[in-house]
Amino acid sequence: MRDFIKLPLVLFLVALIAGMILGVTNYLTKEPIRMQHEMALRNAREELFPDSEFITLEELSLSEENDNVIAVYESQKDGILVGYIVTMEKTGYAGAILLNYGITIDGMITGVNVGTNSETPGLGAKASDVEFTGQFIGKKNVTLVKGTAIADDEISAITAATITSQAVVDGVNQAIVVSDLVMEK
Amino acid sequence: MKSLKKIFLNGIVDENPIFRLMLGLCPTLAVTTAAINGVGMGLAATFVLVGSNLVVSLLKKLIPEKIRIPAFIVIIATFVTVVQLVMEATLPSLFNALGIFIPLIVVNCIILSRAEIFASKNTPLAAVIDGLGMGLGFTLAITLLAAFRELLGNGTLFGLTVMGSTYEPALIFIMAPGGFILLGFILAFLNAMRKEGA
């Protein structure tokens, strides 16, 4: 009968101490983690539009097929609108991929930034490498090809990761449409 | 009692968690696509292993036999969460690379098995040394496997291109089947070496 009291009590104490340690750690790391996230976001935007100001557009009211768009930012240089950053989620090979696209007001791609994803390491995860994302810069509408890209608007897919590559390419074309829609308003 | 040096080397050679005990194969196969991931995962697991071994050893008289397993798991999970939060706050690039595998350290059977087999029966110092040895043995093993996989499957080592541009990477080694095949080859090689030495 003593076990009846002792065992739960010991477990309770172990869990209590563990909980307190976790609470303190969370308290101490919360702010640095938030800052890391903010810095990552700022770096991602800076990459797409260097030296710009970013304004979050509220109330996008986009149509249903664009409900994977998370946010659109207006990018301004010295108070003049130069383009948009479209943040969206696309389904890749292994779940959602967070993508940031930079689109100028003429519909040109200034860059692609691949964020949080769970694509296969060594394959789909290469989507965030410059070898892949660098291909988009300066292009307008793009199509995906396997092997070497020949035409101007072609993007060479990552070997053995066509689904991931396709998701990023579909996303950029959608981002161009979205930035057009936003601009018309 | 065994000497501390022996305990330390035990985890690296005689009872290497991967190559001899075959423990913790899930994270082993999952993260070893690039050598740097092997190092990161190994060191994170080592930290948790040393910490949990120490705490388990210190508390071994206080925790009743019947509930030792849940108590160990709470201790291990606490360490893992601390590692995860601290890593996210200070080393975001490593955190992004290891992603899902950090919470998986909780279920890494090496850690629970060392708590159960060793730490709960030995002094805190011996437990820490055992954790260190086992952790480094794990780190060495997964880094070796990851280096082979990265080299064959991607033509690079620690992110640097090693194979020339004419080398066509054998993608299978980046994927799970290739990991199994390579692990089998390494094990066969080590077993053959052992037999010859004995």
Side-chain angles (χ1 to χ4, degrees):
Chain A
M1 206 51 199
R2 262 190 64 222
D3 274 1
F4 180 72
I5 309 224
K6 190 184 168 191
L7 295 186
L9 192 69
V10 171
L11 261 187
F12 173 73
L13 283 175
V14 168
L16 185 73
I17 294 167
M20 288 197 296
I21 292 171
L22 289 176
V24 171
T25 315
N26 184 44
Y27 177 76
L28 291 177
T29 54
K30 207 171 172 181
E31 197 53 29
I33 288 176
R34 203 184 56 80
M35 273 165 63
Q36 294 283 9
H37 283 203
E38 232 169 55
M39 210 162 74
L41 190 67
R42 201 169 334 126
N43 287 346
R45 289 189 209 153
E46 272 284 310
E47 223 175 89
L48 303 175
F49 286 103
D51 312 315
S52 298
E53 304 258 305
F54 301 103
I55 301 153
T56 315
L57 293 181
E58 314 279 347
E59 289 181 39
L60 289 171
S61 64
L62 293 167
S63 54
E64 216 169 89
E65 72 247 28
N66 289 323
D67 63 358
N68 60 330
V69 174
I70 299 168
V72 178
Y73 306 93
E74 228 175 62
S75 167
Q76 294 187 352
K77 223 172 224 171
D78 307 321
I80 301 160
L81 176 68
V82 286
Y84 296 95
I85 290 182
V86 183
T87 303
M88 66 170 82
E89 260 186 356
K90 273 291 212 187
T91 308
Y93 180 73
I97 310 173
L98 187 70
L99 295 156
N100 293 299
Y101 296 105
I103 311 288
T104 66
I105 42 175
D106 331 313
M108 193 187 78
I109 305 161
T110 63
V112 176
N113 173 277
V114 181
T116 322
N117 65 77
S118 39
E119 299 304 289
T120 324
L123 297 174
K126 280 189 192 165
S128 51
D129 292 353
V130 185
E131 284 93 50
F132 182 67
T133 56
Q135 300 181 78
F136 289 90
I137 298 170
K139 289 180 182 164
K140 288 193 168 175
N141 278 294
V142 289
T143 42
L144 187 75
V145 289
K146 291 187 187 183
T148 319
I150 302 159
D152 270 353
D153 61 345
E154 283 178 348
I155 299 289
S156 166
I158 303 161
T159 319
T162 317
I163 296 174
T164 313
S165 313
Q166 190 69 58
V168 179
V169 167
D170 287 349
V172 79
N173 289 331
Q174 188 190 345
I176 293 169
V177 174
V178 168
S179 58
D180 260 355
L181 283 174
V182 174
M183 202 162 33
E184 274 164 25
K185 270 174 204 165
Chain B
M1 209 185 86
K2 287 197 276 183
S3 77
L4 292 178
K5 192 181 160 205
K6 221 172 167 183
I7 293 170
F8 179 69
L9 288 176
N10 182 46
I12 298 180
V13 187
D14 285 337
E15 285 188 18
N16 185 296
I18 305 224
F19 293 149
R20 301 299 303 169
L21 303 181
M22 309 293 291
L23 284 175
L25 289 185
C26 167
T28 300
L29 290 165
V31 298
T32 54
T33 51
I36 191 70
N37 288 0
V39 177
M41 178 74 186
L43 293 182
T46 305
F47 177 79
V48 174
L49 195 50
V50 170
S52 74
N53 262 10
L54 174 67
V55 174
V56 166
S57 177
L58 286 172
L59 297 178
K60 63 180 183 279
K61 293 228 171 65
L62 298 174
I63 296 174
E65 181 85 10
K66 281 180 187 157
I67 53 160
R68 65 183 194 285
I69 299 285
F72 292 168
I73 290 178
V74 171
I75 292 167
I76 295 166
T78 307
F79 267 101
V80 173
T81 313
V82 169
V83 169
Q84 183 180 2
L85 289 174
V86 170
M87 198 187 266
E88 189 172 3
T90 54
L91 299 165
S93 54
L94 187 63
F95 178 80
N96 286 336
L98 296 179
I100 177 90
F101 305 119
I102 298 174
L104 281 181
I105 298 176
V106 178
V107 289
N108 188 326
C109 36
I110 299 165
I111 291 161
L112 187 58
S113 87
R114 290 331 282 177
E116 168 76 8
I117 296 170
F118 197 92
S120 61
K121 297 174 186 124
N122 285 282
T123 62
L125 180 63
V128 167
I129 301 293
D130 177 74
L132 212 53
M134 282 287 163
L136 291 180
F138 176 67
T139 309
L140 283 176
I142 60 172
T143 306
L144 182 75
L145 181 62
F148 274 120
R149 287 181 71 181
E150 190 184 342
L151 191 65
L152 295 171
N154 204 24
T156 58
L157 199 58
F158 288 100
L160 300 168
T161 309
V162 178
M163 309 292 228
S165 53
T166 48
Y167 176 73
E168 186 67 35
L171 281 172
I172 184 159
F173 289 114
I174 290 286
M175 291 184 275
F180 271 110
I181 293 167
L182 265 181
L183 182 62
F185 273 107
I186 295 175
L187 289 176
F189 177 75
L190 289 177
N191 281 345
M193 293 277 286
R194 246 181 127 71
K195 247 180 199 159
E196 256 169 43

